[in-house]
Amino acid sequence: QVQLVESGGGLVQAGGSLRLSCAASGRTVKTGWFRQAPGKEREFVAAINYGGSSTYYADSVKGRFTISRDNAKNTVYLQMNSLKPEDTAVYYCAASAAYCSNYGCYASVRMYGYWGQGTQVTVSS
């Protein structure tokens, strides 16, 4: 069983930046960030493989968000720049011991077995 703990959420003005962290209690093959706004389905944001050589992004965040990891610390980061009010949501870290080979797999909620408790990100206009 892997425990995930997110941190770094908060309130920021549009155009600002935040960095989310996801600390894992053990090794995971892939780690992703998802978000869920009130009244909406949970959606994929970004994902990264264990080695950090493969990263995937939703079109809505491409060019603004960067996912990275430090395996020595078992921590994955999500650097969020140029934030928009529509980025407001609870952000969840997710991880899995299963391998993926394509975007569709990395972006699927069903492919992750471990989830954090979520951290709120609010972007004011």
Side-chain angles (χ1 to χ4, degrees):
Q1 188 76 7
V2 175
Q3 309 282 338
L4 303 174
V5 179
E6 302 104 331
S7 61
L11 173 65
V12 65
Q13 287 190 328
S17 298
L18 283 174
R19 189 177 81 155
L20 305 183
S21 298
C22 173
S25 61
R27 172 177 168 161
T28 59
V29 173
K30 66 180 181 289
T31 306
W33 287 96
F34 291 76
R35 66 188 182 186
Q36 188 166 18
K40 295 189 175 182
E41 303 248 330
R42 191 167 297 189
E43 65 174 6
F44 172 73
V45 176
I48 188 168
N49 67 344
Y50 179 76
S53 59
S54 296
T55 56
Y56 301 85
Y57 297 94
D59 287 343
S60 59
V61 307
K62 204 172 291 184
R64 300 188 297 122
F65 291 10
T66 302
I67 190 170
S68 61
R69 68 188 304 153
D70 182 341
N71 287 337
K73 298 180 179 180
N74 279 343
T75 300
V76 171
Y77 304 97
L78 184 69
Q79 178 66 43
M80 305 186 295
N81 298 329
S82 302
L83 282 161
K84 304 175 181 180
E86 51 263 44
D87 294 318
T88 295
V90 176
Y91 283 69
Y92 296 91
C93 177
S96 171
Y99 285 92
C100 277
S101 59
N102 57 63
Y103 176 91
C105 182
Y106 275 93
S108 173
V109 170
R110 293 189 300 274
M111 295 306 296
Y112 295 84
Y114 307 112
W115 291 84
Q117 81 286 354
T119 185
Q120 177 71 45
V121 171
T122 303
V123 184
S124 63
S125 57

